[in-house]
Structure formats: structure tokens, C-alpha cells
Amino acid sequence: MNQKWIKFKINQTFDQKTVRMFLEHFFIAHKKIYKLEMDHAILVNKKEVKTHELLHQGDEIEFDLSQLSADKVMPYKGDIEVVYEDEDFLVLNKPRACLVYSDGTDLDTLTNRVAYHYHTFYPILPIHRIDYDTTGLVLFAKHGLSLAYVSKLFEEDQIEKTYHCVVENDFIDKKGVIKTKIARDRHDQKMRVSDSGKDAFTSYEVVGYLEQYPRLKVMIKGGRKHQIRVHLRSIGHPIISDLLYGHKNLKYPNLMLHFSKIKFIHPRTLEYVEIVKEADF
């Protein structure tokens, strides 16, 4: 995707809608929409248009988003595992012991690896992150419209997020919900359950066992830092080899937490897309 212009084919959903309404579908801010118009960065059927003009089914609309894009990402040579890809999104399976993006010192990150493998006009950027030792799905946006769209879905908890993990101690009730608030621990580099924290919702279900250890399917809303790890620890079930909220398991020394499924409404098709990558435990 080296081209400067991002192209869309207008379907029935946007027939007789304005260019502005099309951009608002991607949750682009009004100030940015105005800038695109002033920069002559909108074409319909290869002709420059204003944002009040109507679209018709079958039209081809194009945007030059270069003035709205972030800085380029420094490439770093490293392996990536592609789970899903289309014109707008890229989904990778993040390995263990890998940052999603740089902490200011380490260049070997998933984002920098993507920059090495994809020589694109626009930087391909992650829309969320998972912890350094957590494995699983990371969703990337290939351009500014898809970035704004899915960022808004994450913000409004309109993304279905499913994890799998293995925890200490068996359960009496094989499924449950944890709704306690989460806050930063002022005395440590950790999070904690606290009435002064932010809302977080975690549901869990025992779906099997690894020897005597319960294997859980976990779904979350809120997306707080370390949410699953903190919530499960708070009810007496720390994740296996969670060194922050539990202890190392000599037989299973790696953190056993994996982001296994993501599901959301795709902005082009307006239909659900579901991406799955099973855990290796």
C-alpha cells in the first residue's frame, strides 16, 4: 500500500449521503474534515469535491490523509505473524516478551517490525496494546480513517474481546463476573482493586484444565491496564506465572494469558468481522 490516496467504493449505505457524513462514519473530527477540504484532499470519481456534496452508489471516493498522519515509524527487522489483513486493518499474533510499541528505548517492537515488513506511505499503527508477556492478537490500522474508526469503538466498548488464560486454584462456580473498579497502586508499578478506580467488567468461564489448573475463557469491558490479571488475583485465582500479581510456576514459567478473539463491525462492509488465534496452552 504505497499509494498516497485512500480509496473507497460507495455502497448503498452511503447513497445520497454527503461526503461529510461519510467521514463522520469514521468518527473523523470536524476540524480534520475541514482541513481535508481546505487541502483539496477529497476526490470523487477523480474530481475534487466539497464535503457538502452528495455521494451515489458506485462512486469512488479518495482521500489524501498525509496532512493528518502521524510521523513515520522506525523500521526494525524482526518476525511477524499475520492472522488477518485487508485494505484497512492488519491483525498480528504478538509473541511473548515483545512490546507493542516503543517505550522510548527499545526499538524491537511489534510496531517497528511492521514498519520493516510493510513499506507504506502511511504508518501502520496499533490501535491498542497488550502486556509485554501476554501473547495474542494486536489490531493495527493501515490509515487514519481506520485508526479513528476502531479507536472510537475501543473507547466506547464496542469491540468484543476474548482472552484465554490458565490460573491457580480450582473454582466452585465455573463461571462468574467481576465488576470491581481498578486504580493505579501509588506505591508500586502495579494496579489494584479500589473504590476510587475506574469501572472494569470481567466475565470468566472454566472451559477446561491444564493438569489441575483451570483454563478460562475471559471477556472484558473497560480495558484497564492489567485488568484480567488484577481481577482474577482479587478473587484468589492469579494467572499462572504472573510475577506481578502471583508467583512463578516452575513447570509453566511463562505468563499464561492470551488475547484470542476480537470482533467488531467493519467500516466498509458494516458487517461483523471476527478474528481468532487460539492459545498454545
Side-chain angles (χ1 to χ4, degrees):
M1 197 182 86
N2 290 309
Q3 71 270 20
K4 182 178 180 180
W5 292 83
I6 305 300
K7 300 179 183 180
F8 296 86
K9 197 81 167 180
I10 297 302
N11 57 28
Q12 187 176 2
T13 301
F14 295 102
D15 186 39
Q16 302 299 315
K17 301 291 196 303
T18 65
V19 172
R20 173 176 291 275
M21 293 169 71
F22 181 87
L23 286 165
E24 288 172 345
H25 166 68
F26 288 87
F27 306 111
I28 302 299
H30 291 175
K31 184 166 62 175
K32 292 185 177 181
I33 293 174
Y34 176 76
K35 182 170 176 54
L36 287 172
E37 185 174 65
M38 293 299 100
D39 289 344
H40 312 285
I42 308 170
L43 302 180
V44 174
N45 301 326
K46 305 299 182 184
K47 296 181 179 179
E48 184 186 328
V49 298
K50 301 297 185 182
T51 57
H52 67 269
E53 297 193 37
L54 289 178
L55 297 167
H56 304 88
Q57 187 172 354
D59 283 348
E60 184 177 74
I61 189 167
E62 302 177 65
F63 302 98
D64 172 8
L65 306 175
S66 56
Q67 298 303 312
L68 308 182
S69 296
D71 294 336
K72 295 291 185 182
V73 176
M74 181 72 70
Y76 189 95
K77 186 177 182 180
D79 294 335
I80 61 172
E81 181 185 345
V82 177
V83 180
Y84 173 88
E85 184 175 7
D86 62 23
E87 298 167 281
D88 308 300
F89 301 106
L90 174 69
V91 181
L92 301 184
N93 182 32
K94 187 186 85 67
R96 185 172 288 106
C98 179
L99 292 170
V100 173
Y101 50 81
S102 179
D103 57 2
T105 57
D106 193 347
L107 287 178
D108 184 10
T109 71
L110 206 59
T111 303
N112 294 63
R113 292 184 187 189
V114 168
Y116 175 84
H117 287 275
Y118 288 80
H119 305 290
T120 58
F121 186 87
Y122 299 104
I124 299 179
L125 299 175
I127 300 165
H128 65 108
R129 67 178 175 182
I130 56 178
D131 294 338
Y132 178 76
D133 285 320
T134 302
T135 60
L137 302 177
V138 178
L139 176 61
F140 286 78
K142 287 188 168 183
H143 54 78
L145 293 188
S146 56
L147 180 65
Y149 175 82
V150 182
S151 295
K152 185 68 171 180
L153 295 191
F154 267 101
E155 181 185 325
E156 296 186 347
D157 282 325
Q158 295 182 37
I159 302 280
E160 185 178 305
K161 297 164 281 190
T162 304
Y163 289 74
H164 283 84
C165 62
V166 181
V167 301
E168 303 276 357
N169 309 320
D170 204 358
F171 290 80
I172 297 175
D173 297 321
K174 300 304 182 184
K175 60 172 65 176
V177 171
I178 310 167
K179 295 182 180 180
T180 46
K181 295 181 178 181
I182 293 176
R184 183 176 297 279
D185 192 322
R186 290 175 294 178
H187 307 292
D188 209 338
Q189 297 298 314
K190 298 196 296 187
M191 307 298 287
R192 62 188 175 89
V193 166
S194 170
D195 290 339
S196 64
K198 295 182 179 180
D199 291 334
F201 175 98
T202 302
S203 68
Y204 63 88
E205 179 181 0
V206 178
V207 293
Y209 287 85
L210 177 65
E211 298 185 357
Q212 76 270 29
Y213 302 113
R215 187 174 188 270
L216 306 183
K217 180 177 78 171
V218 179
M219 299 182 72
I220 64 170
K221 291 184 178 180
R224 307 302 172 200
K225 183 178 180 181
H226 298 171
Q227 178 174 326
I228 297 172
R229 299 162 68 181
V230 172
H231 266 172
L232 290 175
R233 174 65 181 86
S234 74
I235 62 169
H237 298 278
I239 296 173
I240 295 291
S241 287
D242 186 344
L243 302 187
L244 271 180
Y245 302 101
H247 60 271
K248 188 170 186 175
N249 184 301
L250 295 179
K251 187 170 183 179
Y252 301 105
N254 296 316
L255 178 70
M256 302 193 80
L257 176 61
H258 178 83
F259 188 6
S260 53
K261 186 176 80 171
I262 188 167
K263 183 177 179 181
F264 61 94
I265 295 176
H266 199 287
R268 285 187 192 260
T269 64
L270 302 182
E271 296 178 353
Y272 277 104
V273 57
E274 181 178 297
I275 302 112
V276 177
K277 178 64 179 178
E278 299 293 347
D280 61 2
F281 51 76

